Amino acid sequence: MDMKQKEFWFVVGSQFLYGPEVLETVAARGAEMAQKMTDGGILPCKLVYKATVKTDAEITQIMKDANHDDNCLGVVTWCHTFSPSKMWIHGFDLLQKPYCHLATQYNRKIPNEEIDMDFMNLNQAAHGDREHGFIGARMRLPRKVVAGYWQDASVQNELAAWMRAAVGYQASHEMRIIRFGDNMRDVAVTEGDKVETQIKLGWQVDYWPVGHLVEVMNTVTEAEIDEKMAEYHQRYDFATDDLATVRYQAKEEIAMRKILTREGANAFINNFQDLYGMDQLPGLASQNMMADGIGYGAEGDWKVSGMTAIMKQMAQGLEGGTLFMEDYTYDLEPGKEVSLGAHMLEVCPSIAAQRPRIEVHPLGIGDRQPPARLVFEGKPGKGIVVSLIDMGGRLRMIIQDIEVIKPILAMPNLPVARVMWKPAPDLLTGVKCWIQAGGAHHTVLSTAVTAEMMQDWAEMMQIECVHITANTTVEEFKKELFYNDIAWKLKNI
Ligand code: MN
């Protein structure tokens, strides 16, 4: 999906009360605002003025059209004037796409000399947006309310975050994940209800036998491998002479990509316990696929694979990396506590601080040959880690603010890519909250996608979301989890 080509519809609410002249002005201004906001360079997608709506029939028609237009990812409404909200009920009831209420006004300031009753008739967003907001609240519509002057960067940034969340909503509904093998034996947090996830998030999660992957690997030609090796040389440094091992990774990558393309999938999982007929666990192969936006989860973790693919779509064009990650070990020096994240192999180079190098080392786990992998350090920056877990009857998303730092140690004997970070509010409080919430060891780490975008996404998907920030305390966080448990049980009845 190229998000620049996607659009959001700007629908301005009004009524016939004001006469044609006012309605023409409202329409002209609505079109001007949408065009200027699109041209402003902050919004990641187009905002397209559609209509100034005045009747139940007009609103119903526009919501039906929005539902069926594949290029439209959501609807933004605003009331320049007053728009009686009963006429919005039918349309809102039908709307199946993300919805944002932009509470703004055309003019920034109240003009001292010019203000009279004509001005008041035309410029009454403060009044119109309240009537409009009531029906959203009354209908319990999932929505974002953005408030402020429409030309301000802060307002456009909030709208931009919501648009990126809506891109994630679309990506979620198009998600297809290929499972090369099952989940790792005995592990709980990587499990989940795939039917529930398809109903709630739109994901299709399908199994393909590893034997089928091996069959496709056996059809890969030397010429195809040569071409992939040229790509590796272009992207990475070779810190190994063992080209046969690297070529084997190329063969695995080519075969996995063929199956993903054939099945229309953009995410996959594998499991080091199920490599029947394969000589190496895919390392470099998985890493190079992730670098191109493909989702991945290790040990059969299809939930983190789907989230990685979605968040990579949301991150289009942003600085920073978005990747599958795993908390490994801590440095617990008092006051300077940090977490070291890595994986057996599969860390995406989108966060690499330097050009990654290809190395070959034994794995230490499993019974296969030493695999080729990319080794690098993560680039510093503010970010988040995100975990999606199945609570039994509902999904919970946990977001934690983090700061990725340059690793405090060189760790010359660690043969994998590494990312080091400080979680909010501090490592120990953060760990307590994360564990209380049931957050997984696998996460999506991003220094591109923000917590605001993920909160907007969770609301669109209608799933529980908790956020660990600089202000979080264990006491309050535990209460939130407790109240959420009750609320979501009621909500799911
Ligand atoms: Mn793992």
Side-chain angles (χ1 to χ4, degrees):
M1 187 199 318
D2 177 4
M3 68 164 73
K4 283 202 189 92
Q5 302 308 315
K6 296 294 179 182
E7 60 186 44
F8 289 82
W9 289 5
F10 190 44
V11 179
V12 182
S14 194
Q15 60 180 330
F16 283 118
L17 186 69
Y18 310 105
E21 210 173 302
V22 165
L23 289 176
E24 276 167 32
T25 306
V26 169
R29 287 178 175 182
E32 179 197 341
M33 289 162 70
Q35 191 62 52
K36 280 192 175 156
M37 283 191 272
T38 298
D39 294 343
I42 291 177
L43 302 186
C45 311
K46 296 174 200 161
L47 183 64
V48 178
Y49 170 78
K50 286 311 268 195
T52 297
V53 289
K54 303 158 295 287
T55 64
D56 187 309
E58 283 178 324
I59 294 163
T60 301
Q61 190 59 50
I62 218 160
M63 297 306 183
K64 280 184 185 171
D65 292 346
N67 285 342
H68 291 114
D69 188 323
D70 287 340
N71 212 38
C72 168
L73 297 190
V75 172
V76 180
T77 62
W78 169 55
C79 292
H80 192 315
T81 51
F82 194 86
S83 181
S85 274
K86 283 185 188 173
M87 68 190 191
W88 287 80
I89 292 173
H90 192 199
F92 273 148
D93 197 37
L94 293 172
L95 181 64
Q96 295 167 323
K97 293 200 172 170
Y99 164 49
C100 176
H101 180 170
L102 177 60
T104 189
Q105 62 185 17
Y106 180 74
N107 54 305
R108 185 190 288 277
K109 293 177 75 73
I110 297 170
N112 184 40
E113 294 296 328
E114 292 98 275
I115 188 163
D116 56 13
M117 282 321 290
D118 284 344
F119 182 92
M120 296 282 265
N121 265 339
L122 177 61
N123 299 283
Q124 48 176 298
H127 163 105
D129 274 330
R130 279 171 167 71
E131 165 71 2
H132 195 58
F134 166 74
I135 207 64
R138 177 68 179 77
M139 294 179 74
R140 276 79 172 171
L141 297 177
R143 62 191 166 141
K144 184 173 195 175
V145 179
V146 174
Y149 189 57
W150 58 280
Q151 293 194 29
D152 288 348
S154 59
V155 168
Q156 292 184 20
N157 277 320
E158 281 184 43
L159 192 56
W162 174 82
M163 283 183 171
R164 287 184 181 276
V167 166
Y169 177 93
Q170 181 67 22
S172 192
H173 284 93
E174 292 171 1
M175 179 60 54
R176 188 154 186 196
I177 303 170
I178 300 292
R179 301 168 67 226
F180 293 119
D182 204 341
N183 295 55
M184 183 177 168
R185 285 186 285 278
D186 288 329
V187 176
V189 77
T190 59
E191 292 285 355
D193 182 338
K194 295 192 280 291
V195 174
E196 179 70 9
T197 308
Q198 186 157 1
I199 294 167
K200 276 275 159 35
L201 306 182
W203 301 5
Q204 191 175 337
V205 187
D206 281 329
Y207 173 80
W208 284 89
V210 176
H212 175 61
L213 173 57
V214 172
E215 263 174 22
V216 177
M217 280 170 61
N218 289 337
T219 68
V220 174
T221 66
E222 291 301 308
E224 286 173 313
I225 295 173
D226 290 343
E227 203 178 317
K228 183 56 71 179
M229 289 293 282
E231 182 185 308
Y232 289 163
H233 275 286
Q234 189 211 328
R235 291 181 170 186
Y236 314 119
D237 287 340
F238 277 60
T240 178
D241 296 327
D242 186 355
L243 295 184
T245 291
V246 181
R247 290 180 72 85
Y248 193 82
Q249 290 283 329
K251 185 196 272 194
E252 291 178 326
E253 180 182 340
I254 293 161
M256 289 192 289
R257 280 187 189 260
K258 281 184 179 177
I259 296 171
L260 263 64
T261 303
R262 188 193 69 204
E263 298 302 319
N266 58 346
F268 71 104
I269 64 93
N270 55 22
N271 178 356
F272 70 93
Q273 290 174 328
D274 188 359
L275 298 173
Y276 193 82
M278 296 168 76
D279 296 342
Q280 297 176 31
L281 176 64
L284 169 60
S286 298
Q287 290 172 292
N288 196 51
M289 289 168 77
M290 286 187 265
D292 289 336
I294 294 170
Y296 172 76
E299 291 97 52
D301 192 343
W302 50 269
K303 296 198 301 302
V304 83
S305 177
M307 288 310 300
T308 306
I310 288 169
M311 289 173 65
K312 279 176 174 289
Q313 290 274 10
M314 291 166 66
Q316 279 178 43
L318 295 175
E319 290 285 316
T322 299
L323 57 151
F324 164 68
M325 185 39 66
E326 178 168 284
D327 287 83
Y328 247 93
T329 196
Y330 304 129
D331 192 291
L332 293 175
E333 190 182 341
K336 294 180 180 171
E337 295 90 348
V338 291
S339 189
L340 173 64
H343 207 264
M344 284 195 297
L345 300 172
E346 310 91 342
V347 181
C348 169
S350 65
I351 198 160
Q354 64 282 114
R355 190 171 151 93
R357 27 178 221 286
I358 299 174
E359 299 184 11
V360 176
H361 302 278
L363 200 51
I365 294 177
D367 55 358
R368 302 290 143 168
Q369 293 170 8
R373 80 288 306 272
L374 295 171
V375 181
F376 55 85
E377 271 185 3
K379 192 176 179 184
K382 288 203 181 303
I384 52 172
V385 282
V386 173
S387 174
L388 180 73
I389 58 169
D390 188 327
M391 289 296 287
R394 76 173 190 278
L395 296 164
R396 168 184 285 166
M397 196 170 74
I398 303 137
I399 308 169
Q400 182 170 36
D401 293 340
I402 62 164
E403 186 179 357
V404 178
I405 60 166
K406 181 173 168 53
I408 57 174
L409 304 161
M411 301 174 284
N413 295 314
L414 182 68
V416 290
R418 69 291 302 273
V419 182
M420 198 170 261
W421 68 88
K422 291 180 176 175
D426 57 79
L427 184 127
L428 299 182
T429 310
V431 167
K432 288 177 197 171
C433 292
W434 189 268
I435 288 174
Q436 287 285 353
H441 54 290
H442 287 165
T443 59
V444 185
L445 184 152
S446 182
T447 52
V449 176
T450 64
E452 181 185 9
M453 294 173 202
M454 293 316 297
Q455 285 173 313
D456 289 350
W457 183 82
E459 183 168 11
M460 289 170 190
M461 307 313 300
Q462 291 284 278
I463 61 169
E464 183 193 359
C465 176
V466 291
H467 182 198
I468 304 165
T469 71
N471 301 318
T472 301
T473 64
V474 175
E475 190 181 0
E476 289 303 314
F477 192 70
K478 281 183 77 171
K479 281 186 207 164
E480 185 182 353
L481 294 174
F482 177 69
Y483 297 140
N484 279 3
D485 220 24
I486 297 165
W488 282 89
K489 274 180 186 148
L490 290 172
K491 209 174 160 77
N492 285 342
I493 286 170

